[in-house]
Amino acid sequence: MTKTTIIVAGGSGLRMGHELPKQFLPIGGIPVLMLTIDAFYRYDAGMHLVVVLPSSQIDFWRELCTTHNFAIKHTVVAGGETRFHSVKNGLTAALPESLVAVHDGVRPFVSQQTIARCFDEALKSGSAIPVTASVESIRQIIGDASVSVNRASYMMVQTPQVFQWQVIDAAYQLPYDTLFTDDASVVEKACFKVTLVDGNRENLKLTTPFDLLVGEALFQQSNARP
Amino acid sequence: MTKTTIIVAGGSGLRMGHELPKQFLPIGGIPVLMLTIDAFYRYDAGMHLVVVLPSSQIDFWRELCTTHNFAIKHTVVAGGETRFHSVKNGLTAALPESLVAVHDGVRPFVSQQTIARCFDEALKSGSAIPVTASVESIRQIIGDASVSVNRASYMMVQTPQVFQWQVIDAAYQLPYDTLFTDDASVVEKACFKVTLVDGNRENLKLTTPFDLLVGEALFQQSNARP
């Protein structure tokens, strides 16, 4: 089955305390978004790659690709007001009848095994999202109070979230809802079932300067491997 | 008010894939547990420090302290079957009428600000635990299925968890319950209220080889600061 991966990079950079949006910040000298695209290209060089960026950043991205001699072919699509709208725009460039992955542009450390598990499971059951257990205790906030919950009953959700095209295409016809925090929540609202697979702990969403420091350490380690 | 910090280090090292228990693994050449003790000593050099270790590891720890010329004074107590029993043993060495912090031995990167927030709030309201927001989407597992939940309603819990002595001493008279994942859950079972304060993201619980790599990066960065 043909594959499409939609890589969504909506960051404006404010949370990182940098002027440069976080998807363009360098790790090992390479912009994060290029590392992310490369992870999917390594998994399947024939896959259709769609990158969704705020329209104001598209020219800058093209220049960056030239400067870095970044040669992996990809389609660029302008994002929307929220992540939901950005994914919806990205879907217009997806190959119909393919398996469609949606991935955060700032998760460059997704493993090849995680990508494979997601595509393999989505091919079988229609959808797959990668999750990891929490090492921290978890509290639920209820009004002004909070309670301990059983952490074994909760999982942390990563990307790529992979769906058969007809599933995700149908789901994104729904009107926008503020409770859509990821693609699985959209697909479930459309009454499709979502299957969980194992993610990998290194598959961090680079959100803060701390994450960038961690990312640099991961990059150095993976490049030090034989 | 006098202060006691009980540092609980129960790791057997298996999860790390090393023979050495994780509390003894080096970061920047220094065993993790020494870095953790040092963080509390820097906050208040006059604080009473209690370290809880599996009885089989106590001799090894004492040798390690000699080898590293580790001079911060602390009381060593043998741990119990579970974290609950280890903390209960640690409490026998706490100063009565003090503020009592319980901290994971494998969280060396707790900030001075987090420690201060916890002690300050516990002095006022009786208890304080540090929490951070989740950057990941969260799913709740219900039987064989799972659902997206609103991640804004959940917080990740760190340590130190700080209590007035009479609160934690009373709570740890309760019989053991498998749902006790942290001290807050014990204290709440005893019908005391728990107050949340801000933790710090670097305050990781070093659980896997990946965490150790992150820890090394954090250590190098903090030592590179002027």
Side-chain angles (χ1 to χ4, degrees):
Chain A
M1 206 171 196
T2 57
K3 302 185 195 81
T4 298
T5 294
I6 300 172
I7 296 174
V8 185
S12 65
L14 294 178
R15 231 192 319 186
M16 274 287 189
H18 287 88
E19 287 193 28
L20 207 59
K22 55 194 174 180
Q23 56 268 24
F24 302 142
L25 291 174
I27 286 185
I30 303 167
V32 165
L33 184 55
M34 292 183 191
L35 295 174
T36 305
I37 294 171
D38 184 61
F40 285 86
Y41 180 78
R42 276 182 286 130
Y43 172 68
D44 180 352
M47 167 186 311
H48 182 51
L49 293 165
V50 178
V51 172
V52 185
L53 277 169
S55 55
S56 62
Q57 295 176 12
I58 292 177
D59 285 350
F60 179 78
W61 169 245
R62 294 218 160 103
E63 283 169 35
L64 212 55
C65 288
T66 306
T67 313
H68 285 264
N69 292 315
F70 186 70
I72 299 175
K73 212 183 127 192
H74 61 278
T75 302
V76 179
V77 169
E81 205 181 327
T82 69
R83 189 181 185 286
F84 174 87
H85 298 97
S86 292
V87 173
K88 199 173 159 101
N89 291 359
L91 277 170
T92 62
L95 301 179
E97 310 305 326
S98 65
L99 285 173
V100 180
V102 183
H103 189 70
D104 294 326
V106 291
R107 289 192 195 262
F109 298 112
V110 59
S111 71
Q112 297 293 300
Q113 292 83 347
T114 295
I115 299 175
R117 280 190 290 267
C118 291
F119 275 106
D120 292 351
E121 178 59 41
L123 180 62
K124 275 192 281 180
S125 67
S127 78
I129 65 171
V131 298
T132 57
S134 174
V135 294
E136 314 277 20
S137 292
I138 301 177
R139 292 185 76 81
Q140 186 177 4
I141 311 295
I142 302 166
D144 288 341
S146 67
V147 291
S148 274
V149 296
N150 182 359
R151 77 169 160 218
S153 300
Y154 292 86
M155 299 294 272
M156 306 292 121
V157 182
Q158 305 180 336
T159 69
Q161 303 194 350
V162 183
F163 309 93
Q164 290 176 11
W165 179 80
Q166 53 273 35
V167 170
I168 190 166
D169 184 65
Y172 271 86
Q173 308 297 327
L174 287 174
Y176 174 63
D177 184 319
T178 52
L179 287 178
F180 291 156
T181 57
D182 63 354
D183 309 291
S185 54
V186 181
V187 159
E188 286 179 314
K189 186 74 181 278
C191 299
F192 293 103
K193 254 195 71 175
V194 168
T195 305
L196 310 186
V197 300
D198 287 339
N200 62 294
R201 271 205 82 194
E202 302 77 10
N203 187 14
L204 295 175
K205 188 172 180 179
L206 304 181
T207 312
T208 65
F210 168 64
D211 297 330
L212 208 65
L213 176 79
V214 172
E216 194 69 48
L218 278 171
F219 183 82
Q220 298 306 336
Q221 193 213 32
S222 59
N223 280 28
R225 278 194 203 122
Chain B
M1 207 168 196
T2 56
K3 302 184 195 83
T4 298
T5 294
I6 300 170
I7 297 174
V8 186
S12 65
L14 294 177
R15 230 189 326 184
M16 274 288 189
H18 288 88
E19 286 193 29
L20 208 58
K22 55 193 174 180
Q23 55 269 21
F24 302 142
L25 291 174
I27 286 186
I30 303 166
V32 164
L33 185 54
M34 291 183 192
L35 295 173
T36 306
I37 295 172
D38 184 62
F40 286 86
Y41 181 78
R42 276 183 285 129
Y43 172 67
D44 180 352
M47 167 187 311
H48 182 51
L49 293 166
V50 178
V51 172
V52 185
L53 278 169
S55 56
S56 62
Q57 295 175 11
I58 292 177
D59 286 348
F60 180 77
W61 169 244
R62 292 218 161 104
E63 281 169 36
L64 213 54
C65 288
T66 306
T67 313
H68 285 264
N69 291 314
F70 186 69
I72 299 175
K73 212 184 126 193
H74 61 279
T75 302
V76 178
V77 169
E81 204 181 328
T82 70
R83 189 180 185 286
F84 174 87
H85 298 97
S86 292
V87 173
K88 198 173 160 104
N89 290 1
L91 277 169
T92 62
L95 301 179
E97 310 304 327
S98 65
L99 286 172
V100 179
V102 182
H103 188 70
D104 294 324
V106 291
R107 290 193 194 260
F109 298 112
V110 59
S111 70
Q112 297 293 300
Q113 292 83 350
T114 296
I115 299 175
R117 279 190 291 267
C118 291
F119 275 107
D120 292 351
E121 179 58 41
L123 181 61
K124 275 192 281 180
S125 67
S127 78
I129 65 171
V131 297
T132 57
S134 174
V135 295
E136 314 277 21
S137 292
I138 301 176
R139 292 184 76 81
Q140 187 177 1
I141 312 296
I142 303 167
D144 288 341
S146 67
V147 291
S148 273
V149 297
N150 182 1
R151 77 167 160 220
S153 299
Y154 291 86
M155 299 294 272
M156 305 293 120
V157 182
Q158 305 181 334
T159 69
Q161 303 196 350
V162 183
F163 309 92
Q164 291 176 11
W165 179 80
Q166 55 272 36
V167 170
I168 190 166
D169 183 65
Y172 271 86
Q173 308 299 326
L174 287 173
Y176 174 64
D177 184 321
T178 53
L179 287 176
F180 291 156
T181 56
D182 63 355
D183 310 291
S185 55
V186 182
V187 159
E188 285 178 314
K189 186 75 181 280
C191 299
F192 292 103
K193 254 194 73 175
V194 168
T195 305
L196 309 186
V197 301
D198 287 339
N200 62 291
R201 269 205 83 193
E202 301 78 9
N203 186 15
L204 294 175
K205 187 171 178 178
L206 305 181
T207 313
T208 65
F210 168 63
D211 297 330
L212 207 66
L213 177 79
V214 171
E216 194 68 50
L218 277 170
F219 183 82
Q220 298 306 336
Q221 191 211 35
S222 60
N223 280 27
R225 278 193 203 123

